[in-house]
Amino acid sequence: VSSRDFLKLPIKDFIIPSEKVAHVQIGNNTEHALLVLTKTGYSSIPVLDMKFRMHGMVSVQQITDEILGLDRIEYERLDSIKVDDVMTRDFVKIHENDTFQRALDLLINHPYICVVDYDDMFLGILTRRVVMKQLKKQLYL
Amino acid sequence: VSSRDFLKLPIKDFIIPSEKVAHVQIGNNTEHALLVLTKTGYSSIPVLDMKFRMHGMVSVQQITDEILGLDRIEYERLDSIKVDDVMTRDFVKIHENDTFQRALDLLINHPYICVVDYDDMFLGILTRRVVMKQLKKQLYL
Ligand SMILES: Nc1ncnc2c1ncn2[C@@H]1O[C@@H]2COP(=O)(O)O[C@H]3[C@@H](O)[C@H](n4cnc5c(N)ncnc54)O[C@@H]3COP(=O)(O)O[C@H]2[C@H]1O
Ligand SMILES: Nc1ncnc2c1ncn2[C@@H]1O[C@@H]2COP(=O)(O)O[C@H]3[C@@H](O)[C@H](n4cnc5c(N)ncnc54)O[C@@H]3COP(=O)(O)O[C@H]2[C@H]1O
C-alpha cells in the first residue's frame, strides 16, 4: 500500500470497541474514579452517561491536583467531589470514517482519542499503540 | 530519505536531554514523588541517583496501588514508603547510537524509553510523541 493510500484509510478497523474500554459515569465521585484508574492501570479514561454518550475524559493527575492542599494531599475530600468537576470537557474526538492521517495528526499530542458517531455516542478509542503498530508495518514493507 | 535509511538513523537527535526530564531520586519518599508527578503532570518519570545513574521508573499508578487499603486509600502511609520499593527496576533502556527502528519497536509497548550510555548514566528520554512526529514527516513526503 502506498503511503498516500495508507494515510487515507478509515480508522474503523483500528478502534478499540467501547465494550473493551474502561470508563466512569458522570455523577460518579472521584474516589470511585481513582479506584477504577488504579485498578485498570490506565492514567486517563472516558466519562460517559448511561446512554453511552461522551461527556469528558478524566485522569489521575486531574484528581490528585484537585485535592492537593497547602501542606498535604486532602484525600478525605475525594468522595465528595464529582468527576464532572475535574474532567476535561473539551476533549478531542474523531469519527469512524475519519482517515488514518487525521488520527495520526491528533495522536501526536494525545495518547488516545475518543471515537464517536454523529450523535456523540461513544464507539471506542484509538490509541497511539495501535497506530504505531500500523505505522511500523507500513514502513517495514 | 528512503524508509530503510530512515529506520537506520541513530536516535541521538531525537532525545529529550536529561536536564529537561522531570525525575526523582532513590531514597525519596512516595509523597514527594506523587507531588512531582502531579505538579509536572507526567504519569511516569525516571528514578535516578545523585550521579545521574538510572535506577528505575515510577508511576502514579504504582504509588496509588501501594496504598490501596481494604476500604480506603491510605494516603498517610506515603511519607514512609520509599520510591525504591514501588518503582520498576527492570525498565526498558536504549543507547544513543541505537536505531530509530529499535526505538519504534520498543515504543509500541512503552510511552517513553530511557536513554543511557554504556555506564548506565542517564542521558535523556525518547518519547512516542517525538517519534510519531518523525514518522508523520517520513510518511507525508
Ligand atoms: N493494562 C495494560 N496492558 C498493556 N499495556 C498497557 C496497559 N496499561 C497501559 N499500557 C501501556 O502503557 C501505555 C500508556 O497507558 P496510559 O494508561 O498512560 O494511557 C492509555 C489510556 O489512557 C487509554 N487507554 C488505552 N486502553 C484503554 C482501555 N482499554 N480502556 C480505557 N482507556 C484506555 O489510552 C492511552 C494510550 O494507550 P496505549 O495502548 O497507546 O499505551 C499504553 C500501553 O502501551
Ligand atoms: N506537560 C505537558 N505538556 C505537553 N504535553 C504533555 C504534557 N504532559 C503530558 N503531555 C502529553 O501527554 C502524553 C502522555 O504523557 P504521560 O505523562 O502519560 O507520559 C509521558 C511521561 O511519562 C514521559 N515524559 C515525557 N516528557 C517528560 C519529561 N520532560 N520529564 C519526564 N517524563 C516525561 O514520557 C511519556 C510520553 O510522553 P509523550 O510526550 O510521548 O506524550 C505525552 C504528551 O503528548
Side-chain angles (χ1 to χ4, degrees), chain A residues 66-119:
Chain A
E66 185 68 18
I67 55 167
L68 221 55
L70 281 176
D71 42 32
R72 64 182 187 85
I73 300 171
E74 300 166 356
Y75 43 91
E76 68 278 2
R77 293 178 44 216
L78 285 177
D79 64 1
S80 57
I81 302 168
K82 298 226 181 308
V83 287
D84 314 34
D85 302 327
V86 301
M87 70 187 187
T88 308
R89 284 173 189 271
D90 61 346
F91 54 92
V92 169
K93 44 191 179 179
I94 196 172
H95 293 119
E96 40 173 5
N97 297 315
D98 277 334
T99 62
F100 206 88
Q101 176 167 336
R102 174 84 186 122
L104 177 54
D105 285 342
L106 291 172
L107 288 166
I108 280 171
N109 287 316
H110 303 91
Y112 72 107
I113 32 184
C114 292
V115 187
V116 297
D117 69 12
Y118 294 92
D119 267 324

